[in-house]
Amino acid sequence: MTPSRHILRIAATAAAVCITLAAAAAPGRIEPPRGLDSAVRSLMQRYGLPAASVAVVCDDRIVCTAAYGVKDTVTRRAATVRDRYRIASLSKPVTLAGILLLAAQGRLSLDDTVFGRDGILGLDYGPVPDGSGKERITVRHLLEHTGGWENIPDDPMFANAGATQRQIIARMLAARPLAAAPGERYSYSNFGYLVLGRVIEKVSGMPYERFIRRHLLRPCRIHRMRVGEPHGARPRHDEPSYCLQPHEIGGTYYLDIQRMDAHGGWIASATDVARLMIRIDRNPAVRDIIPDPLASQFYFGFERWIHTGSLPGTAAVMMRIDDRLSFVLLTNRRSDDERFWDDLAQIPAEAIIRHYGAAATR
């Protein structure tokens, strides 16, 4: 899901000085404010979420981490703040940050073309068909979901079972026409971010995951994030069980999470994502890893932005509420209720604003 469609208009602002919350007995847990605790529990009950994990950032400090529910509905093992979830499309801000790092280093321009003899990927995935316009697609177009492809008749990242990343890109380049000229029209594209992962590999000279972990996550003190398992592999012990809705068939492990790397493949804890937010939020308390002139060209530069992630058994939200406050919420079930995504973001955000906005007057 795209940040631009889920930016929330919350009238309240947080004008208070943050206070450090006392740590609870559970290792790694920092007790949430009562209002936030109630908000998360209410969301879980309303939408039948077995587990949830939340982290709150105030002035570039993680001031709250909490886990709720059970990570396994069979064994009833309690969820912990160290649990790592599939974060689905929250992987896209990770890839955006990786591209902007390379741009900041002068190793690529956002207006470089991607395909064709003069493009970053050259002819690695085959020639550009004459008259297709695909040689005009730039890095910026892919970042902004304006490359020109649409998910019609299907999303290529979910419709090509068994195909490799290379095969999918080659087929799209050769056979699927653009629905619009590059830069002309927005159309949310998992495929575009798959290609951006390959751009990172070509420019950096190393595999996508290795570059992100070494040059983005490690400087952010994030050491446990990783790309998920290939098709058919079950998650590791520190992941929750992913719970499906009745109509979601095929199980949770038919997806090739590894193939989805740059658009939806990362596995992370709420704390991991919060640590990334600290380094991309433009709050000066901790120096950001992306220079402001680059960040401000994308939603990283908005005063308030939100990105969501959705897969069978996954619902994830990361939100920059304002210049001081951000939060991350991860769960192991999603809902088709039309209110679900707004509630998942807005209800915790309002609780966070109420608590930290009132702190200065206590």
Side-chain angles (χ1 to χ4, degrees), residues 200-250:
I200 287 174
E201 291 180 334
K202 187 66 178 272
V203 174
S204 70
M206 63 179 66
Y208 166 79
E209 182 179 4
R210 185 186 304 169
F211 173 83
I212 293 293
R213 294 186 69 172
R214 180 178 299 177
H215 296 284
L216 177 65
L217 303 184
R218 189 182 297 173
C220 297
R221 298 189 302 113
I222 301 169
H223 303 293
R224 299 175 63 243
M225 274 182 67
R226 61 181 176 81
V227 171
E229 278 69 42
H231 172 71
R234 294 187 64 83
R236 300 185 191 179
H237 65 89
D238 60 354
E239 288 181 59
S241 59
Y242 299 106
C243 300
L244 300 181
Q245 300 174 76
H247 65 85
E248 291 177 329
I249 60 175

Side-chain angles (χ1 to χ4, degrees), residues 61-73:
R61 297 178 62 189
I62 296 176
V63 294
C64 162
T65 58
Y68 299 85
V70 294
K71 64 188 294 182
D72 190 314
T73 57

Side-chain angles (χ1 to χ4, degrees), residues 5-137:
R5 294 186 179 181
H6 294 273
I7 295 173
L8 305 176
R9 293 177 174 85
I10 302 173
T13 58
V17 176
C18 287
I19 60 173
T20 304
L21 301 176
R29 179 184 170 99
I30 307 173
E31 284 295 329
R34 182 177 300 175
L36 177 60
D37 186 78
S38 298
V40 175
R41 293 182 189 279
S42 174
L43 282 170
M44 293 177 69
Q45 183 174 14
R46 182 180 306 174
Y47 294 109
L49 308 177
S53 188
V54 64
V56 178
V57 173
C58 182
D59 282 338
D60 281 350
R61 297 178 62 189
I62 296 176
V63 294
C64 162
T65 58
Y68 299 85
V70 294
K71 64 188 294 182
D72 190 314
T73 57
V74 176
T75 66
R76 309 301 294 177
R77 284 186 300 158
T80 76
V81 295
R82 287 181 60 80
D83 292 336
R84 291 183 294 178
Y85 293 68
R86 294 177 178 177
I87 63 171
S89 285
L90 298 198
S91 302
K92 292 182 176 69
V94 175
T95 298
L96 169 57
I99 289 285
L100 295 184
L101 274 179
L102 291 171
Q105 296 166 2
R107 302 172 71 179
L108 60 75
S109 165
L110 300 181
D111 296 313
D112 284 342
T113 56
V114 176
F115 299 110
R117 294 188 181 278
D118 298 325
I120 293 173
L121 298 180
L123 304 180
D124 291 357
Y125 298 90
V128 176
D130 291 341
S132 68
K134 296 171 185 176
E135 75 284 354
R136 298 198 300 275
I137 297 171

Side-chain angles (χ1 to χ4, degrees), residues 313-334:
T314 293
V317 174
M318 63 187 299
M319 181 178 183
R320 183 189 194 272
I321 297 173
D322 59 24
D323 290 336
R324 305 178 60 245
L325 293 171
S326 303
F327 80 94
V328 179
L329 177 63
L330 310 177
T331 80
N332 62 338
R333 194 172 191 266
R334 62 183 181 179

